[in-house]
Amino acid sequence: MHNKISKFIQEAESFSAETIEQIEAFRIKFLSKKGVISELFEEFKILPGEQKKEVGQLLNQLKNTLQDRINSLKDQLGSEVTTSNIQDLSLPGTAINQGSRHPISIVRKEILDIFSRIGFTVSEGPEIEDDKHVFSALNFPPEHPARDMQDTFFIEKNPDILLRTHTSSIQVRVMENTRPPIRTVSPGRVFRNEAISARAHCIFHQVEGLYIDEKVSFADLKQTLLYFAKELFGEDTKIRLRPSYFPFTEPSAEMDVSCNLCGGKGCNVCKYTGWLEVLGCGMVDPNVLDFNNIDSSKYTGFAFGMGIERIAMLKFQIRDLRLYFENDLRFLEQFSSVV
Ligand code: DAH
């Protein structure tokens, strides 16, 4: 009996299989109710007492070897099955999440494209600026409130180094470096010392426009802005200019567009006025031209400036400015269809 069991152990150790069915047949042969192991246990029962210890140990060894062999062969076959699944080229692929552009970047691009089509170049400038480019060269009087710490983030005082509060500073940089005719739009991030709320933020984006040439008139300004409003908000859009004040333009105006939601009839977005305020503009003040060494007796120009957040709010009906900065995917994913 000793020899018989040892042979079975050898057989178990060298057994190999290519299919689950072969393993199952092997299991039935040895481990089923009427299998080899049961038979051997029957023989074992009638052995003389002194042989029982040794044979019993061998029998257990055979049982364990069989079980181990079966388990490891099953594992092997199982992992081969998964590997071959990966190579199944007919399986559908895993979808890759496509990102989307941020609404600010969508609107920024749209504004720049509209002006590029009528010959405006794109120019940029630094976010950290000095007093000259943000205030002095733009005709801000020394006591103007924007020069106060309450409105502007200063990095250093005397000489003043600060975060630009508007992209009008780029106008000055362009005038320093180019001679008329000048036709440029300047996008950028601006900073103001304001409490954050649904309608205000300490960081936001603007696009500045500047056109300087001989004989540029207020009619040119109005016509350019009408073209812009129609391109941005639709062919039926109307504009109106309300008198206003900026230190760097004279005369100055604020431009409203007819409400694109109610078509001018009045709704809660336009606060029942039919109009939405969109940008500030005006004829470049001769002082600004002269300060920047452009002959104001020969050249005239117009300028305008707008907040991108505000325009994106009107275009996409976004009600809270803070959404732009929170990177909430539920918000951002809504723009995935806009290129
Ligand atoms: N810089 C102004 C602001 O930040 C916007 C502005 C108004 C720019 C009139 C202009 C302009 O160029 O002519 O509020």
Side-chain angles (χ1 to χ4, degrees):
M1 193 170 182
H2 192 286
N3 283 350
K4 204 158 55 172
I5 299 175
S6 298
K7 267 193 195 148
F8 283 137
I9 292 179
Q10 270 173 21
E11 186 183 336
E13 278 169 349
S14 59
F15 173 69
S16 69
E18 269 154 31
T19 61
I20 292 283
E21 290 74 29
Q22 288 171 348
I23 300 173
E24 184 58 11
F26 181 75
R27 189 193 66 79
I28 291 169
K29 174 180 167 193
F30 283 98
L31 296 169
S32 63
K33 264 192 179 167
K34 291 182 180 164
V36 174
I37 294 288
S38 303
E39 272 175 27
L40 288 173
F41 270 103
E42 291 304 314
E43 283 182 46
F44 171 76
K45 278 184 197 160
I46 51 168
L47 275 183
E50 68 270 16
Q51 287 183 29
K52 272 202 166 147
K53 188 170 175 219
E54 201 200 334
V55 176
Q57 276 174 356
L58 262 183
L59 257 180
N60 276 334
Q61 193 191 331
L62 172 62
K63 225 176 129 180
N64 292 339
T65 312
L66 284 166
Q67 203 58 63
D68 288 351
R69 192 72 198 131
I70 289 171
N71 288 346
S72 78
L73 283 171
K74 271 191 183 164
D75 282 352
Q76 252 177 40
L77 275 185
S79 64
E80 274 165 25
V81 170
T82 24
T83 326
S84 65
N85 273 353
I86 288 170
Q87 287 162 352
D88 181 352
L89 299 180
S90 65
L91 283 176
T94 326
I96 298 169
N97 262 349
Q98 275 215 314
S100 53
R101 275 169 163 275
H102 192 281
I104 295 300
S105 125
I106 295 169
V107 172
R108 174 187 187 273
K109 180 174 184 301
E110 200 173 339
I111 296 169
L112 298 183
D113 284 351
I114 292 173
F115 284 104
S116 300
R117 293 203 283 276
I118 52 168
F120 280 69
T121 60
V122 177
S123 48
E124 288 185 83
E127 292 177 351
I128 298 175
E129 270 290 9
D130 52 18
D131 179 277
K132 177 186 162 195
H133 292 89
V134 178
F135 301 127
S136 311
L138 288 164
N139 202 33
F140 276 78
E143 71 285 0
H144 194 282
R147 291 173 178 251
D148 200 274
M149 300 269 274
Q150 302 213 308
D151 293 293
T152 302
F153 290 116
F154 283 87
I155 294 170
E156 251 172 58
K157 271 280 193 189
N158 279 328
D160 286 348
I161 306 293
L162 44 98
L163 296 180
R164 66 180 176 202
T165 55
H166 54 182
T167 43
S168 304
S169 57
I170 309 174
Q171 275 192 32
V172 179
R173 298 218 165 250
V174 171
M175 286 191 251
E176 275 173 352
N177 298 320
T178 14
R179 295 292 89 192
I182 293 171
R183 236 186 264 151
T184 189
V185 274
S186 321
R189 209 154 41 153
V190 299
F191 307 84
R192 283 185 202 176
N193 196 355
E194 293 208 33
I196 296 169
S197 72
R199 315 192 96 246
H201 208 287
C202 54
I203 303 174
F204 55 100
H205 300 77
Q206 289 186 331
V207 175
E208 185 77 14
L210 180 67
Y211 189 160
I212 302 174
D213 203 347
E214 290 176 37
K215 301 195 183 80
V216 176
S217 70
F218 200 89
D220 296 324
L221 167 64
K222 198 172 167 187
Q223 216 46 48
T224 306
L225 293 179
L226 178 62
Y227 154 78
F228 167 67
K230 283 174 181 274
E231 289 290 300
L232 190 69
F233 292 109
E235 187 50 37
D236 298 332
T237 310
K238 296 184 181 57
I239 63 167
R240 74 174 183 189
L241 294 171
R242 282 178 290 107
S244 183
Y245 172 79
F246 299 102
F248 34 92
T249 43
E250 182 58 37
S252 305
E254 255 155 292
M255 180 179 94
D256 297 340
V257 294
S258 52
C259 178
N260 57 339
L261 275 183
C262 60
K265 288 196 196 79
C267 67
N268 64 349
V269 172
C270 61
K271 301 203 190 81
Y272 300 95
T273 62
W275 295 97
L276 300 163
E277 189 186 318
V278 165
L279 55 78
C281 59
M283 300 306 291
V284 180
D285 193 305
N287 287 343
V288 173
L289 295 176
D290 290 336
F291 191 99
N292 293 292
N293 296 320
I294 292 176
D295 183 357
S296 64
S297 62
K298 186 170 177 204
Y299 293 106
T300 50
F302 65 73
F304 53 87
M306 66 191 97
I308 305 184
E309 276 78 359
R310 171 146 180 88
I311 292 188
M313 275 175 131
L314 299 177
K315 248 187 113 70
F316 299 126
Q317 289 153 46
I318 298 166
R319 305 225 167 209
D320 193 322
L321 205 88
R322 288 167 291 198
L323 283 165
Y324 292 125
F325 300 92
E326 285 167 358
N327 285 334
D328 187 330
L329 282 181
R330 290 169 301 180
F331 173 69
L332 297 175
E333 278 169 352
Q334 293 179 48
F335 301 93
S336 55
S337 61
V338 195
V339 186

